[in-house]
Amino acid sequence: MAFLQLQLDGPANEAWHGFKLGKLKDASGAQIQWLTFKFDHPKEPKAVQLDCQGSTGFDEFKAALPDNESRYGIFNLKYKKGEGDREKVALLVWAPDASPVKSRMLIASNKEAFKTNLEGIHVEFQASKHADAEHEAWIDHAKTSLK
C-alpha cells in the first residue's frame, strides 16, 4: 500500500491550531479538551478531517471513538508532577479490530504524515479497543516522557 501525503482539511487545521493555542471553545464557552479526526474518504483518502470535539473528560473522549472505524484522537492530558500542574498533548492512533483492514492499515501507515501536520504532540498511544486506552496509564507514560 502506498504511503499517502494527507493534509488536514481547512476546518481540521483551524480546529487543531485553536486547540493547541487553548483558544478552541465549545458553544457554552468551555475549552475544548479533545478532538478526533478521520479520513475524508475511507477507501481513497485525500485529506484528514475533523470528526468531533469535546470539552469533557477522558471517558467522553473514549466514547467518541467508534467501535468499527479508525480515527486519530488528540487529548489534552492534564496531571500533576511534583508540586506543579502539567499538560501534554497526546495522540491516539485508534484502529479497532472491527474496522476494515484497509482502514487500519491506512491509519497506521499515515500516522507520521498526520503528526507532521500537528506540531506540539508530546506523547502518542495506539489502541484497538477501549480497554487499551486508560487515563492513568497515559498519565504515567506522560510523566516519564522527556518531551
Side-chain angles (χ1 to χ4, degrees), residues 3-8 13 16-17 20 37 39 48 72-74 89-93 106-126 141 147:
F3 177 73
L4 305 172
Q5 289 295 326
L6 300 176
Q7 298 292 318
L8 295 175
N13 195 38
W16 164 248
H17 286 290
K20 78 176 182 176
F37 298 90
F39 293 133
V48 178
Y72 295 113
I74 301 292
V89 177
L91 167 66
L92 172 64
V93 178
L106 283 170
I107 207 87
S109 65
N110 286 285
K111 176 186 75 166
E112 291 303 320
F114 179 70
K115 277 177 50 177
T116 62
N117 287 290
L118 307 176
E119 187 175 323
I121 298 293
H122 298 108
V123 291
E124 66 181 68
F125 302 91
Q126 295 182 26
H141 181 70
K147 290 185 180 180

